[in-house]
Structure formats: C-alpha cells, structure tokens
Amino acid sequence: MIKGKKKLANNIFMLYILNFTQLALPLVTLPYLTRVLSVNSYGVVSYVKSIMAYATLIIEFGFMFSGVNDVVNAHDDKEKLGKILYRITLAKLILSIFSFIILIVMILTIPLLHKYPLFTILSFIPSFLSIFLFDYLFRGLEEMQIVTFRFLIAKSISTILTFIVIKNDNQLLLLPILDIIGSGVAVLWVQYEINRLNLKLKQDSLGNIFKAIQNSFTYFVSDLAGTVFVPLNTFFVGLILAPKDIAYWGVLTSILSAIQSLYSPISNGIYPRMIATKSLSLFLKIIFIFIPCLVGGSLITFFGADLIVSIIGGTKYIPAALYLKESIPQIVISFFSILCGWPLLGAINKIKENTLTTGIAAVTQVIGLTILIISKHFSLTTLIIIRTLAELTLPISRSLFAYKYKELFNK
C-alpha cells in the first residue's frame, strides 16, 4: 500500500515536471523566434504548428487513454503487452497515412500551406515519430519518469539547436528539421527503455487492429470535442470585437491554458491507479488535498491579476486583468471537470458517458454563443460567462453518472 502511494506521488511529481517543461520551453523560444524571424515567417510557423496539433490528435486517436486502460488491465503480462504495442502501433501507422493524405489535400488547397509545402511536410514528421514514443505504455505501467525524460531530451535538443542555428528567415526550413532531430533521439531513448523492460511487439490480427481503432474512437471524439472550442471562441472574438479585444483574449487564453495545465498531472497521475483500484476514497482524498491549493491560487489570481498580466503580456495588456478575474470561477470549476472525467468515469469504463458530458458542454457553449450573437450582447465578459456555464455542466453531469454507477466503485 505504501509502495503504491509512493509510486502515485512519483508519477504526479514527474507529470508536473513534464507539464512545466511543456510550458517553459516554448516560452523560452517564442520571444527569440519572434525577434529573429519576420512577422510573416513567424506567422507561417504558428499556423503550421496549429495544423500539426490536429494531425497529432488524429494519430493519437485517444490511445493515450484507451492504451493506458489496456496496459493496466494486462497486469504486467508481457505477451499481452506485446500485442497491445503491436496493434496500437499499426493502428497509429494507418491513422498517420490518413492524416498525411488530408495534409496533402490542405497543402494543395490552402494558399499559405501551398506556398510552404516542404516546411509543412517536414513539420509533420515529428508527429509521425510520436507513434514510436509509446507514452500510453509507460503511463499504464506507472513509469512516468520515462515519459518525462524522453520529452526533456527531445525538446531540450531542439530548443538548444534553435538558439544556435536559427538566425533569420533563411533558416526557416531548419526549424522542423531540429524538431525531427530531437524526436529521433527521443525515439532511440524510448527503444532503449523498451528493451530494458524486455518488451517486444507481438503480432496480432488485422481485425484486432481495427477493433482497437474502433474502441478508441470514443476517446478520440471526447478529446476532439474538448479541443475545438478554444479556436471557435477565438474565431468569433476576431469576427465581432475590436482588435484590442482580440489581443486581450489571446493573453487571457494563454494564462488560462497555463493554469489549467497544472491539473493534467493530477488527472494523469491518478488515472492508472483509479483503473486498478476503482477507489472512491482515493479520488475524494485527492480532491480534498488540492482544495486549499485552489482557494489559495484563486486569491493570488484575483489580487495579483494586474501583475500576472503585465508579466505575460506587458503593461499595455493590463485591461485584460479584469477578464482574468472574471475567469476565476472557470479556473476552479475546470479542476473538478478534469478530475471527474477520465480518473472517475474512465476508471469504471464509462467512456461513452464521459464523452456525452463533453458533448453536453459543447452544445451549451454553441447555444450560448448563438444567443450572444443574435442578441448582440457578445463581449469578452459575456463570453467568459458562457464558457464558465458550459464548464459547469461537466462536473455536474459527470458526478451524476458516477453516482448512477456507484456500485462499480470499490467501497
């Protein structure tokens, strides 16, 4: 029992290191790239990266959750683990081909991508190489230090090389090549860890490969539904409001994303343990442990909003501090939304129910946006209110499902 708690604490700690570096390293390179690249070139980099985020989403296809579930249920059976590795790897290869075909169509039809086809294709390669990083395996085995170390290796290499190599627009093509180098080294590191664990891919049937894709589809839909609404909100902000409001919204969403990313290590850290134990007492202990942190963080955000915004965006963005204060309820609610999702409903295999709750939140968001636009009450403040209400549907609906299926938890 003590060993299990230590492992859980270690996993959460490693996930915090992972999330911190995921935030820190891009923040280190961003000011540098905006200075050495022209506005147009940096715009190309940003746009292509947003496209690759969706390419990665298709390739991952929810296997980060369904794969973890399969690995936990395999109970260290190396034969079963080998088959899981085989079918998920082949499934991702199939999905990567599909994703690449879509990318080629986009290159042919979208002017910006058509102007930079080689840069776009090279940028796809790190997403493709992610197939061989097997994060779902190490998360399921509760070996989060492997995931953290491989990320540090890959991103540190590409970050350091960026400062050394990239000096102007002429080196634009080198940016994805540096990411490829970092990803390639990470793949070699992960292969070493696979060999150390004495795991090998075991051939499985084509039917089981497509079945794995089918089983992971619900996870994919849930991830997709949770991903698309930030750009949707941004689209309408840019369509309806003034340029200064767009700038304030950009700073606000960056801060909110940074804060909410702190919740992911907790969710990802307890998810494998919740699958194994289905313990409500463990879940409630985690909730109560972090409530004081939520209260303290909310107070710091409220009284330090001006300082936070000025550090992130500069003094000219101080008016966005008001919107940060208005977003505090959303920040708090999203903690319970995330923990009541995969760690709670996912642990008892209520995947469809979890996805349904995401759909409910999405519909609430769309209806709210429609009302604001038709009634001509669309503003950053009203948008924050609608986003908060949509977020509130998640912990409420997920808690109701958890209560409905409470007999599936261990008492």
Side-chain angles (χ1 to χ4, degrees), residues 338-357:
I338 292 172
L339 260 70
C340 289
W342 297 119
L344 189 62
L345 291 182
I348 56 174
N349 205 32
K350 293 302 173 184
I351 313 306
K352 292 181 180 178
E353 286 79 1
N354 190 57
T355 303
L356 176 61
T357 62

Side-chain angles (χ1 to χ4, degrees), residues 113 266 319:
L113 299 183
I266 305 169

Side-chain angles (χ1 to χ4, degrees), residues 87-383:
R87 61 175 174 261
I88 291 182
T89 301
L90 266 291
K92 286 188 173 186
L93 285 170
I94 293 169
L95 292 164
S96 69
I97 294 171
F98 175 72
S99 182
F100 186 71
I101 292 171
I102 294 175
L103 182 64
I104 294 299
V105 173
M106 294 176 72
I107 290 172
L108 294 174
T109 55
I110 298 176
L112 181 61
L113 299 183
H114 187 69
K115 191 176 179 181
Y116 298 90
L118 184 56
F119 179 83
T120 304
I121 291 172
L122 288 173
S123 298
F124 177 80
I125 295 176
S127 296
F128 173 77
L129 290 176
S130 68
I131 295 170
F132 308 102
L133 296 177
F134 308 119
D135 280 3
Y136 63 90
L137 171 71
F138 301 120
R139 288 174 188 266
L141 295 175
E142 297 186 85
E143 297 284 350
M144 276 310 305
Q145 70 277 4
I146 297 175
V147 177
T148 301
F149 291 151
R150 75 87 188 150
F151 179 84
L152 284 171
I153 290 170
K155 290 304 177 183
S156 295
I157 289 173
S158 61
T159 299
I160 292 169
L161 290 176
T162 296
F163 285 109
I164 295 172
V165 175
I166 307 300
K167 300 300 179 184
N168 52 52
D169 287 356
N170 294 330
Q171 283 91 39
L172 185 65
L173 269 180
L174 293 177
L175 269 175
I177 292 174
L178 299 182
D179 283 336
I180 292 169
I181 293 171
S183 297
V185 173
V187 168
L188 293 175
W189 170 270
V190 167
Q191 189 56 52
Y192 164 78
E193 293 292 345
I194 292 287
N195 293 334
R196 183 181 64 82
L197 293 170
N198 197 27
L199 290 173
K200 294 181 180 179
L201 274 68
K202 300 287 184 181
Q203 188 170 352
D204 205 351
S205 68
L206 188 61
N208 283 338
I209 293 169
F210 282 103
K211 188 176 180 180
I213 294 175
Q214 181 183 353
N215 291 340
S216 197
F217 177 73
T218 307
Y219 294 93
F220 168 70
V221 171
S222 181
D223 283 346
L224 185 64
T227 302
V228 297
F229 285 96
V230 170
L232 181 65
N233 289 340
T234 304
F235 170 77
F236 282 111
V237 169
L239 193 65
I240 299 171
L241 301 181
K244 65 179 179 63
D245 292 315
I246 302 169
Y248 296 156
W249 182 257
V251 170
L252 176 65
T253 53
S254 297
I255 295 172
L256 294 182
S257 296
I259 293 172
Q260 290 170 342
S261 69
L262 299 175
Y263 304 155
S264 296
I266 305 169
S267 174
N268 293 336
I270 69 170
Y271 180 57
R273 182 64 55 181
M274 283 295 296
I275 293 174
T277 64
K278 295 177 174 55
S279 171
L280 273 178
S281 61
L282 171 64
F283 179 81
L284 293 173
K285 282 179 183 176
I286 295 295
I287 291 288
F288 285 120
I289 286 171
F290 284 96
I291 282 178
C293 299
L294 285 174
V295 174
S298 297
L299 292 172
I300 291 171
T301 303
F302 184 83
F303 291 106
D306 288 6
L307 178 62
I308 293 170
V309 170
S310 63
I311 291 173
I312 301 297
T315 54
K316 60 185 176 181
Y317 286 95
I318 289 295
L322 170 63
Y323 305 122
L324 179 57
K325 291 178 181 179
E326 292 173 344
S327 299
I328 290 174
Q330 179 191 330
I331 293 171
V332 174
I333 293 167
S334 62
F335 173 80
F336 298 98
S337 301
I338 292 172
L339 260 70
C340 289
W342 297 119
L344 189 62
L345 291 182
I348 56 174
N349 205 32
K350 293 302 173 184
I351 313 306
K352 292 181 180 178
E353 286 79 1
N354 190 57
T355 303
L356 176 61
T357 62
T358 306
I360 292 170
V363 170
T364 303
Q365 178 79 8
V366 171
I367 292 173
L369 284 172
T370 304
I371 293 172
L372 292 181
I373 294 169
I374 293 174
S375 65
K376 297 183 179 180
H377 285 89
F378 191 96
S379 67
L380 292 186
T381 295
T382 56
L383 181 58

